[in-house]
Amino acid sequence: MILLDFIAGILRRIIRIITLSIWSVAIGLFTLALTLFRREEKAMRRAAGLTRIWALVAARLAGVKIEVVGKVPEHGGLVVSNHTGPFDILVNASLFPVRFAPKKELKYTPFIGQVVALSRPVWIDRSKRLESKSTAEKISRTISNNVSMLVYPEGTSTDGRSGILPFKSTAFDAAESTGCPV
């Protein structure tokens, strides 16, 4: 009986992963179709809205239960969060229509990089210090178009227990220049 429960648990996880992968590809292709030949501003808003739909369904498929306490702003701000693992992305994206700011290395991760690219993120290249001005401009443009920008200002994931790492300032500089809520 214990062995059967163990096997059933593994099968449930495999089915969730497959279903989540199919859902991610499907919504990614749908996002591509709806944003491909659109002006940047309109495409970014559509992609952010579809990212929220993706996250709501993906969280449900992954068995993540989200409870909101208080009012969540609708759009146009800088969303700042600690990053302790992949479920942070689902939770944050399910609460806000957002544009992501992942590190550029993720772009080259098989499957995940291609799916994330369909959401029209602002890729962060930490190896090129001169890129921060261009990145700040993209973040400002995003926020100015009433699309929330999701950033993990520590620049990496942490265990959440060992304290907070120093924040990267680029996103905060962009928020300050637009006067948006953080």
Side-chain angles (χ1 to χ4, degrees), residues 29-171:
L29 292 173
F30 189 65
T31 301
L32 180 64
L34 289 180
T35 62
L36 191 57
F37 299 109
R38 303 284 186 250
R39 283 188 1 255
E40 181 63 23
E41 296 81 15
K42 191 170 192 172
M44 138 183 10
R45 279 193 294 276
R46 281 193 176 171
L50 290 166
T51 298
R52 185 174 189 193
I53 292 168
W54 164 79
L56 286 165
V57 173
R60 196 169 194 70
L61 290 172
V64 176
K65 292 185 171 108
I66 300 167
E67 181 181 335
V68 177
V69 177
K71 185 172 176 5
V72 177
E74 285 300 312
H75 51 72
L78 181 66
V79 179
V80 179
S81 178
N82 189 14
H83 189 28
T84 59
F87 291 112
D88 300 334
I89 296 164
L90 289 180
V91 171
N92 289 313
S94 71
L95 297 175
F96 308 92
V98 295
R99 189 172 190 194
F100 294 110
K103 36 187 172 178
K104 191 173 182 181
E105 294 81 18
L106 183 63
K107 190 181 208 177
Y108 306 107
T109 304
F111 181 71
I112 293 171
Q114 289 76 29
V115 172
V116 170
L118 293 171
S119 72
R120 295 180 168 254
V122 174
W123 297 105
I124 306 293
D125 188 351
R126 300 212 192 284
S127 67
K128 296 180 181 170
R129 191 110 172 105
L130 297 175
E131 288 284 319
S132 64
K133 184 176 181 183
S134 170
T135 300
E137 288 171 2
K138 290 174 187 173
I139 292 171
S140 293
R141 200 168 44 250
T142 299
I143 294 167
S144 295
N145 281 290
N146 286 327
V147 175
S148 293
M149 191 77 221
L150 173 62
V151 297
Y152 300 111
E154 294 172 280
T156 189
S157 57
T158 63
D159 64 8
R161 294 185 205 110
S162 302
I164 296 174
L165 298 175
F167 283 6
K168 311 294 183 211
S169 65
T170 303

